[in-house]
Amino acid sequence: MIISAQPYKPDWKSIDKRSVPSWFEDAKLGIFIHWGLYSVPAWSPKGTYSEWYKYWLDNKKLFGNGDFKGTEIYDYHVKTYGEGFTYADFAPLFKAQDYDANEWAALFKEAGAKYAVLTTKHHDGFALWPSKEASRDYGRPWNSMEIGAKRDLVGEYVEAIRKTDIKVGCYFSCREWDNPLYFPETMDLYVDRHFYPQLKDLINRYKPDLLWSDGPDDISDTVWKTKEFLSWLYSESVVKDSVVVNDRWAKFSDGKKHGDYYTREYSANDAVFDKPWEECRGMGFSFGYNQNEDLEDYATPQALILTLVNIVSKGGNLLLDIGPTANGKIPPIMQERLSQMGEWLKINGEAIYGTRRWKHVDQWSSGDRNWKYNGKYYVSGNAILKQTVDPDPGYAVQEVFFTSKGDNIYAILPKYLKSIVLKDIYSTSQTKISLLGCDKEVEWKQEKDNIRITMPFLSFEELSCNYAWTLKLEKVK
C-alpha cells in the first residue's frame, strides 16, 4: 500500500509524482467483463464491437475489421425486434436471472487472474448498480436495481471478488450517447451534476482497487476537471492510498498522457513503455458477447498464453475480456479458455507474477522481423502464432521471451526443442538452470557469449504443461 506523504495538488506535476501501488505491476493478468443491455441482442457483424450496438443502430454506421454498408445492425434489429422496438426496450429483458457472482469469482481465480474489471456503466449510460443519477437524468428507470434484473449487479460482483485475493476493478464510461446533458453547451452541467456525483457514489459504495475510465471523447481535461478529480481521489477519497487508475480521462491539454498506467487495445503488443501499461482485448473481435462469432474468430489457448507472455516480457499486463450473456452466464468457450490459461499458470506463474522487464525482452531467430497483421484495425488474438510458432516463409520468430525477478531470469519457449541457444547470457559459479514443473536435469554449457541448453527428453505424459515452457536461470549475468 502507498502512504500519501501529503495531499496531491490539482496540477499534473503534483499528480504525476504519485507512485503506482505495486500490486498492479505484479498482477500481470486481469479479467475484463463487458456486460450490459447490449448483452441482450449480443449481435454485431464480425470484426466489430457488439457493445456499440446502440450507436450502430442509431447512426446506421459501423467501424471495425471488414467492409460494411453501415446499416447491418439497423437491418438486423428491425428484422429481429421490429421497427418500433427501441434500445431502451432491452432494459426489461436484461434480467441476469442466472448470474452468480461467486461462480464468476471462482472461475477468475481458477484462471490465475489477479484483478477483474466490470463495466459498471458503458456508453449507453445504463448503470449496473442503484445509481439515482442514471434514472433521474434519463427520465426513466435506467439502472439494474429499478428495471430488468432488479438487483445491484455491481454490489454482488464486488462482494464475491472480495472473498478472493483478486483486486476489484470498476470500468466507468465518461461518454454517454443519449444523456440529455452530454452536449458541448451543457457539458459543465453533465460533469458537475451527473458525471462526478455518479462516479463518487460508485467509489464510496464499492471502494474499488482500480478505476478504468473510458470514452472521454475529444474533450479537454479542463472541461472534465480531471486534475481536480485525481487530486481528490489521491488525497481525500476512501481509496486514496490504494487505488490505481488508467489514462483515459480526457484529451489532456498538455499533449501528454496521465494516470497510473497506459492502455492499449487490440494492438500488436510490439511496444515497450517507460511506465506500467496494459493491453486489453477480447478472445474474439468484440468485448461484449457476440453470438455472431464462430470458433475460428476466437483466439486459441496457445495464442492467449503466448500473448500474455509477450506482453509480460515487455513489462505490461493483459486485461483479457469476457462477455457474459444477458442471463449472466459466461459462454463455455470463454470458461474453457480461462481454465486453460489457469492450468498453464499453475506451472509457469513464477515466471509471470511479480516479474519485471529484463534488458532483453525476447530473442529472435534469423529472418525478417517485420511481419505485419493484415487486419484493418483490430489485431487478431491468433496473430502472435505467426510471430512465434507458425511463421510465414522468410519471416523471423520470437523464439524466447524473457522476464526477471530478483536474481533470476526466466526464458519462456514457445516451442519445446531439443536444444536452444540463449544469447548474451553469462553463467557464474553459482548458476543453476531448471525447467519449471520438471524434475529432470537440464544440461547446459557456456559457449563464449551464449548458453547452450539441452532440454530434457520428455514423453507426452511427462510434459508438465502445453503451449510454452519456462527455463529458470539462477545466478546468471
Side-chain angles (χ1 to χ4, degrees):
M1 180 178 290
I2 305 299
I3 303 299
S4 302
Q6 63 182 22
Y8 293 89
K9 299 174 183 176
D11 63 69
W12 292 128
K13 185 177 180 181
S14 177
I15 290 168
D16 290 345
K17 285 182 179 179
R18 181 182 187 256
S19 298
V20 181
S22 60
W23 74 259
F24 180 78
E25 275 196 277
D26 291 340
K28 305 307 179 187
L29 177 62
I31 306 297
F32 217 177
I33 311 154
H34 274 68
W35 194 39
L37 298 193
Y38 44 84
S39 306
V40 178
W43 194 94
S44 190
K46 291 187 179 187
T48 66
Y49 289 174
S50 69
E51 67 275 12
W52 278 59
Y53 187 98
K54 175 177 171 48
Y55 187 85
W56 310 140
L57 174 66
D58 293 346
N59 293 277
K60 297 181 182 177
K61 63 167 63 173
L62 275 171
F63 177 89
N65 291 4
D67 296 315
F68 309 109
K69 60 183 181 179
T71 62
E72 286 86 348
I73 289 286
Y74 176 81
D75 295 340
Y76 171 84
H77 184 85
V78 170
K79 181 179 178 181
T80 307
Y81 302 103
E83 197 162 353
F85 192 98
T86 69
Y87 184 81
D89 292 327
F90 285 130
L93 304 180
F94 183 59
K95 293 184 180 298
Q97 64 266 34
D98 297 323
Y99 170 48
D100 185 333
N102 290 305
E103 287 184 358
W104 286 18
L107 177 62
F108 301 161
K109 188 171 180 63
E110 181 186 350
K114 299 301 182 183
Y115 62 108
V117 181
L118 173 67
T119 48
T120 65
K121 180 197 73 169
H122 206 259
H123 308 324
D124 58 11
F126 186 84
L128 302 193
W129 82 99
S131 167
K132 65 180 181 181
E133 290 84 9
S135 296
R136 179 196 68 198
D137 292 347
Y138 281 85
R140 60 175 179 257
W142 207 235
N143 69 65
S144 65
M145 184 61 85
E146 295 183 37
I147 194 168
K150 298 195 174 177
R151 294 159 63 183
D152 180 359
L153 303 178
V154 176
E156 293 178 35
Y157 152 81
V158 171
E159 182 180 359
I161 297 294
R162 293 274 189 229
K163 295 175 185 175
T164 73
D165 59 358
I166 298 170
K167 297 290 187 180
V168 170
C170 291
Y171 168 109
F172 187 85
S173 176
C174 300
R175 164 198 304 133
E176 289 189 18
W177 290 315
D178 263 9
N179 191 296
L181 297 176
Y182 196 77
F183 293 94
E185 59 272 21
T186 53
M187 275 303 294
D188 57 339
L189 288 175
Y190 175 81
V191 170
D192 291 339
R193 194 181 104 159
H194 180 86
F195 180 74
Y196 280 124
Q198 189 182 47
L199 178 55
K200 289 183 177 182
D201 174 49
L202 185 77
I203 293 167
N204 290 326
R205 279 179 190 258
Y206 306 114
K207 302 176 178 57
D209 302 298
L210 186 149
L211 281 173
W212 214 99
S213 180
D214 193 24
D217 290 327
D218 198 23
I219 301 170
S220 77
D221 49 3
T222 302
V223 175
W224 282 118
K225 300 183 179 178
T226 313
K227 288 178 282 189
E228 290 82 355
F229 168 69
L230 291 179
S231 172
W232 170 83
L233 184 70
Y234 290 164
S235 301
E236 302 176 42
S237 76
V238 293
V239 292
K240 60 187 175 67
D241 298 324
S242 58
V243 74
V244 175
V245 304
N246 68 347
D247 59 351
R248 301 188 185 189
W249 293 94
K251 180 181 179 181
F252 297 110
S253 51
D254 62 0
K256 300 177 182 179
K257 282 187 174 291
H258 300 280
D260 293 317
Y261 68 94
Y262 298 142
T263 57
R264 285 161 61 93
E265 185 170 318
Y266 275 94
S267 61
N269 307 315
D270 54 359
V272 174
F273 296 98
D274 60 354
K275 68 184 295 182
W277 66 279
E278 175 191 78
E279 169 75 21
C280 65
R281 67 171 308 115
M283 296 181 184
F285 287 97
S286 176
F287 286 107
Y289 176 53
N290 186 358
Q291 61 178 315
N292 202 30
E293 290 186 321
D294 296 308
L295 179 62
E296 65 193 25
D297 301 304
Y298 281 79
T300 67
Q302 182 181 31
L304 291 176
I305 286 164
L306 291 177
T307 294
L308 172 66
V309 169
N310 183 29
I311 291 168
V312 171
S313 74
K314 294 174 174 61
N317 288 7
L318 171 61
L319 185 61
L320 182 63
D321 182 77
I322 58 167
T325 63
N327 64 0
K329 298 296 288 186
I330 297 171
I333 189 171
M334 298 181 187
Q335 296 184 39
E336 182 183 46
R337 291 292 185 269
L338 292 182
S339 296
Q340 289 163 327
M341 295 186 76
E343 286 298 315
W344 187 85
L345 283 164
K346 286 176 185 175
I347 302 298
N348 301 278
E350 179 183 341
I352 300 297
Y353 304 123
T355 61
R356 295 295 183 266
R357 190 178 76 216
W358 193 45
K359 64 175 183 178
H360 302 308
V361 298
D362 52 26
Q363 178 178 301
W364 287 79
S365 68
S366 59
D368 185 354
R369 299 185 185 183
N370 296 313
W371 182 87
K372 298 294 183 185
Y373 177 68
N374 61 6
K376 199 169 183 180
Y377 297 105
Y378 309 131
V379 176
S380 165
N382 289 321
I384 188 69
L385 301 178
K386 287 295 180 184
Q387 298 165 298
T388 50
V389 297
D390 184 30
D392 290 334
Y395 284 97
V397 294
Q398 293 160 288
E399 54 188 11
V400 187
F401 295 97
F402 294 102
T403 63
S404 69
K405 185 191 297 180
D407 294 332
N408 300 328
I409 305 301
Y410 299 92
I412 305 175
L413 315 175
K415 285 186 176 181
Y416 195 95
L417 304 172
K418 291 181 179 179
S419 66
I420 182 79
V421 174
L422 303 180
K423 301 173 184 176
D424 194 25
I425 300 180
Y426 304 89
S427 61
T428 68
S429 59
Q430 298 177 294
T431 295
K432 294 180 181 179
I433 300 178
S434 57
L435 178 66
L436 294 187
C438 177
D439 294 331
K440 288 192 174 182
E441 184 180 355
V442 175
E443 298 179 8
W444 61 273
K445 62 180 178 179
Q446 189 78 44
E447 294 181 348
K448 295 184 178 179
D449 297 337
N450 310 318
I451 294 179
R452 178 177 292 277
I453 307 285
T454 300
M455 300 292 287
F457 178 79
L458 302 175
S459 66
F460 180 80
E461 290 78 10
E462 291 175 308
L463 286 172
S464 60
C465 62
N466 296 316
Y467 313 124
W469 297 267
T470 303
L471 290 166
K472 180 180 181 179
L473 285 69
E474 302 177 63
K475 306 293 185 182
V476 295
K477 60 182 180 180

